[in-house]
Amino acid sequence: MTSMEKVNAFRDARNWRQFHNEKDLALSITLEASELLEIFQWKTAEEGRQDIDAIKDELADVLIYAYMMADNLDLDIDEIIERKLIKNNEKYPVEKSKDNKATYDDL
Amino acid sequence: MTSMEKVNAFRDARNWRQFHNEKDLALSITLEASELLEIFQWKTAEEGRQDIDAIKDELADVLIYAYMMADNLDLDIDEIIERKLIKNNEKYPVEKSKDNKATYDDL
Amino acid sequence: MTSMEKVNAFRDARNWRQFHNEKDLALSITLEASELLEIFQWKTAEEGRQDIDAIKDELADVLIYAYMMADNLDLDIDEIIERKLIKNNEKYPVEKSKDNKATYDDL
Amino acid sequence: MTSMEKVNAFRDARNWRQFHNEKDLALSITLEASELLEIFQWKTAEEGRQDIDAIKDELADVLIYAYMMADNLDLDIDEIIERKLIKNNEKYPVEKSKDNKATYDDL
């Protein structure tokens, strides 16, 4: 079973697809991303990463809602990542971008 | 090549791993989630989902940064999703949660 | 005592100015904005606004951190609002913008 | 004219109150907070604060939407800040909180 199938099975066992609309799913991804970010509030990256269990939980929540959004819209996760990397490749050619923080800041 | 490998290849071709710290990656996931959410600003879900190309781009950006965060911390995407679904299963038992918006609101 | 003075007095009684840097203050405004948004998750505006006490709390938290950011950088709240409204006035002239959702969507 | 009155005058000249519902206003506060946070992406606080014009603009946008939310719900800005500071005062007594990062992290 893929992760996508597991996420769908969790949702469908509860018949929760009826509550899912894409606006609230986008909103939910934002909320979970904030909970992930909160782990680093008033901390350095080094301090924040110590709380690895919380990071696992919140990062998983971001992914779970992202997968639910993809499923709602019949999007293939691997396909949209591939498509975006191709766009980024054109926008940030290796020769200009390598080791270049200025280009990176503009990402 | 898996999506994770493609994301890493993109990053490593530019030698950008040096700029990645988990605090700024968490921050970046939040920013991309906001850009996804912006597609639905002042719109219904139905209206927002028409802009499917923008949704593909922004959802992919959320996933790309989430994968980079996982890679930084040696986390396995499928493992943390599985782990979180098990936790949610305990928290929201099917018999109590099925068709239940009240439980869902509490997710 | 103005609200700004009250916020500063609260902070300074605890000697917390030492922990404040603008990156974490911006991050904190984002987190509080998310907590405000969470009140409306899976709800209509009409349903969400019933929870007026939670809205008061979270909206106040957004404002308190926004005031702290302004104080850190010696910005005058009324001045930056006035300055931004003048910019918006030029960008969205009344004759073009009145009753116009298209322009508004672009805000 | 107070800042609140100026924000209302800007909105009403365009007859934009009709588009305002509290869910999209909360969403908009989040989006503007993210734009403020973006100024600090991949930067230290010290580096980010150099871009003071962008900070003024984005912080003002957060405040403008926060004021619009307050106006929608007939909330008095100064009153909700005062109310929240009183709550925080009880939660973080000076004697326990002074110079205490641990308490602060818990804010």
Side-chain angles (χ1 to χ4, degrees):
Chain A
M1 225 176 164
T2 64
S3 286
M4 178 63 93
E5 289 165 345
K6 288 177 192 166
V7 169
N8 286 346
F10 176 86
R11 180 196 63 198
D12 295 337
R14 286 155 188 79
N15 207 12
W16 279 352
R17 174 68 179 77
Q18 62 184 313
F19 304 135
H20 282 193
N21 66 78
E22 295 77 19
K23 184 168 185 169
D24 278 300
L25 285 174
L27 191 157
S28 299
I29 295 172
T30 300
L31 301 189
E32 297 301 340
S34 271
E35 292 187 19
L36 177 61
L37 185 55
E38 190 173 10
I39 299 170
F40 296 93
Q41 193 186 19
W42 312 114
K43 296 199 180 134
T44 63
E46 188 52 46
E47 289 165 350
R49 61 183 285 167
Q50 303 311 315
D51 200 357
I52 190 70
D53 273 337
I55 293 175
K56 281 184 192 176
D57 280 353
E58 302 306 342
L59 185 57
D61 279 335
V62 169
L63 288 162
I64 289 168
Y65 275 123
Y67 282 35
M68 285 172 166
M69 169 76 102
D71 189 66
N72 254 43
L73 297 168
D74 268 322
L75 302 177
D76 182 280
I77 293 288
D78 294 312
E79 216 169 274
I80 62 172
I81 290 177
E82 169 84 13
R83 178 180 175 274
K84 192 54 167 55
L85 288 174
I86 290 170
K87 283 193 180 190
N88 288 351
N89 244 319
E90 283 161 19
K91 206 168 162 191
Y92 305 99
V94 170
E95 57 274 24
K96 278 196 190 171
S97 308
K98 202 168 173 186
D99 284 310
N100 193 338
K101 193 171 182 308
T103 322
Y104 192 71
D105 283 349
D106 187 41
L107 188 58
Chain B
M1 225 175 163
T2 65
S3 286
M4 179 63 94
E5 287 165 345
K6 287 177 195 169
V7 170
N8 286 345
F10 175 85
R11 179 195 64 199
D12 294 337
R14 286 154 188 79
N15 208 12
W16 279 353
R17 175 68 180 75
Q18 62 184 314
F19 305 135
H20 283 192
N21 66 77
E22 294 77 19
K23 184 168 185 170
D24 278 299
L25 286 174
L27 190 157
S28 300
I29 294 171
T30 300
L31 301 189
E32 298 300 340
S34 272
E35 294 187 16
L36 178 61
L37 185 57
E38 191 173 8
I39 298 170
F40 297 91
Q41 193 186 19
W42 312 114
K43 297 199 178 133
T44 63
E46 188 52 45
E47 290 165 348
R49 60 183 285 169
Q50 303 312 315
D51 200 357
I52 190 70
D53 273 337
I55 293 176
K56 281 184 192 176
D57 279 353
E58 302 307 341
L59 185 58
D61 278 335
V62 168
L63 288 162
I64 290 169
Y65 275 124
Y67 281 35
M68 285 171 167
M69 169 76 102
D71 189 67
N72 254 43
L73 296 169
D74 269 322
L75 301 177
D76 181 280
I77 292 287
D78 295 311
E79 215 170 273
I80 62 172
I81 290 176
E82 169 84 14
R83 178 180 175 274
K84 191 56 168 51
L85 289 174
I86 290 170
K87 283 193 180 191
N88 288 351
N89 245 320
E90 284 162 18
K91 208 169 162 190
Y92 304 99
V94 169
E95 58 274 24
K96 279 195 189 172
S97 308
K98 201 168 176 187
D99 284 309
N100 193 336
K101 193 171 183 306
T103 323
Y104 193 71
D105 283 348
D106 187 41
L107 187 60
Chain C
M1 226 175 162
T2 65
S3 286
M4 179 63 93
E5 288 165 345
K6 288 177 193 166
V7 170
N8 287 346
F10 176 85
R11 179 194 65 197
D12 294 336
R14 288 153 188 80
N15 207 12
W16 279 353
R17 176 66 180 77
Q18 61 184 314
F19 304 135
H20 282 193
N21 66 77
E22 293 79 18
K23 184 169 186 169
D24 277 300
L25 286 174
L27 191 157
S28 300
I29 294 171
T30 299
L31 301 189
E32 298 300 340
S34 272
E35 293 187 19
L36 177 61
L37 185 56
E38 191 173 8
I39 299 170
F40 296 92
Q41 192 186 19
W42 313 114
K43 296 198 178 135
T44 63
E46 188 51 45
E47 289 166 349
R49 60 183 286 170
Q50 304 312 316
D51 200 358
I52 190 69
D53 272 338
I55 293 175
K56 281 184 192 176
D57 279 353
E58 302 306 341
L59 185 58
D61 278 335
V62 169
L63 288 162
I64 289 169
Y65 275 123
Y67 281 35
M68 285 173 167
M69 170 75 101
D71 189 67
N72 254 42
L73 297 168
D74 269 322
L75 300 177
D76 181 280
I77 293 288
D78 295 310
E79 215 170 274
I80 62 172
I81 290 176
E82 168 84 13
R83 178 180 174 274
K84 192 54 169 52
L85 288 175
I86 290 170
K87 283 193 181 191
N88 287 351
N89 244 319
E90 284 162 18
K91 208 169 162 190
Y92 304 99
V94 169
E95 59 273 23
K96 279 195 189 170
S97 308
K98 203 169 174 186
D99 283 310
N100 193 336
K101 193 172 182 307
T103 323
Y104 192 72
D105 283 349
D106 187 41
L107 188 60
Chain D
M1 225 176 163
T2 65
S3 286
M4 179 63 93
E5 289 165 344
K6 288 178 193 167
V7 169
N8 286 346
F10 176 85
R11 179 195 65 198
D12 294 336
R14 286 155 189 79
N15 207 12
W16 279 353
R17 176 67 180 76
Q18 61 185 312
F19 304 135
H20 283 193
N21 66 77
E22 294 77 20
K23 184 169 186 168
D24 278 299
L25 286 174
L27 191 157
S28 300
I29 295 172
T30 300
L31 300 190
E32 298 300 339
S34 271
E35 293 187 20
L36 178 61
L37 186 56
E38 191 173 9
I39 299 170
F40 296 93
Q41 192 186 19
W42 312 115
K43 295 197 180 137
T44 62
E46 188 51 46
E47 288 164 351
R49 60 184 286 168
Q50 304 312 314
D51 200 357
I52 190 71
D53 273 337
I55 293 175
K56 282 183 191 176
D57 279 354
E58 303 305 341
L59 185 57
D61 279 335
V62 169
L63 289 162
I64 289 169
Y65 275 124
Y67 281 34
M68 286 171 166
M69 169 76 102
D71 189 67
N72 255 42
L73 297 168
D74 268 322
L75 301 177
D76 181 280
I77 293 288
D78 294 312
E79 214 169 275
I80 62 172
I81 291 176
E82 169 83 14
R83 179 179 174 272
K84 192 54 168 54
L85 287 174
I86 290 170
K87 283 194 179 189
N88 287 351
N89 243 320
E90 282 161 19
K91 206 168 164 192
Y92 304 100
V94 170
E95 57 274 24
K96 278 196 189 170
S97 309
K98 201 168 175 186
D99 285 308
N100 193 338
K101 193 171 182 308
T103 322
Y104 192 71
D105 284 347
D106 188 40
L107 188 57

